[in-house]
Amino acid sequence: MLLKGNRLKENFYTVKPMIKPLRLEYQKIDMCLNFCMIYYGEYANFTECKTCHHSHYKPNSGREMTFFTYKKLRCFSITLSLQRFLMSSKAIEYMTLYFSHDTVDRVMVHPFDDED
């Protein structure tokens, strides 16, 4: 899945300090322990998975009516990332890179492949 030499972090708590300076917002979505489904939209109020019938929430031993899910999916918004990228002064340079670069025999060549 990942390129050679790349590794995933063990959990979200080790990744969070890396993401915080980027100010990326995310949405938490509950999901099945066995990765069968996500509890979102019309399935948000389901109490068990419709595929494997595993419970949505962990058993609660206390008196409080708090529910804890087994797994959460964090969904990052691409819109905010693109807006931040396009506000950058370098964005125009990156977006026009191929247009401003010379072609060789009317064939587009990546600028890093150029011999100059």
Side-chain angles (χ1 to χ4, degrees):
M1 183 169 105
L2 294 175
L3 296 175
K4 188 176 180 179
N6 293 325
R7 293 184 174 197
L8 287 175
K9 298 290 185 181
E10 302 96 38
N11 55 38
F12 182 69
Y13 299 107
T14 58
V15 176
K16 196 170 183 177
M18 296 167 50
I19 294 174
K20 192 172 183 177
L22 300 174
R23 294 180 293 153
L24 294 175
E25 296 177 12
Y26 58 90
Q27 180 182 6
K28 293 181 188 177
I29 303 172
D30 298 342
M31 63 185 302
C32 177
L33 179 65
N34 299 320
F35 305 102
C36 301
M37 69 174 280
I38 59 173
Y39 300 100
Y40 185 75
E42 63 186 75
Y43 306 113
N45 297 324
F46 277 33
T47 56
E48 69 176 26
C49 177
K50 67 177 186 174
T51 306
C52 69
H53 304 290
H54 192 279
S55 176
H56 180 173
Y57 302 105
K58 294 179 184 178
N60 189 358
S61 60
R63 289 184 176 179
E64 303 168 3
M65 291 299 294
T66 55
F67 299 104
F68 298 102
T69 60
Y70 283 97
K71 290 205 177 279
K72 288 194 181 283
L73 171 71
R74 285 162 177 88
C75 184
F76 292 92
S77 171
I78 188 72
T79 307
L80 292 173
S81 300
L82 287 174
Q83 286 175 346
R84 286 194 181 117
F85 172 73
L86 294 175
M87 285 191 299
S88 162
S89 60
K90 287 275 193 181
I92 301 300
E93 181 184 337
Y94 294 144
M95 291 169 49
T96 60
L97 191 60
Y98 287 106
F99 180 74
S100 62
H101 185 70
D102 296 333
T103 58
V104 178
D105 296 327
R106 300 184 53 90
V107 175
M108 186 181 288
V109 180
H110 194 278
F112 294 110
D113 296 337
D114 196 7
E115 295 174 1
D116 293 340

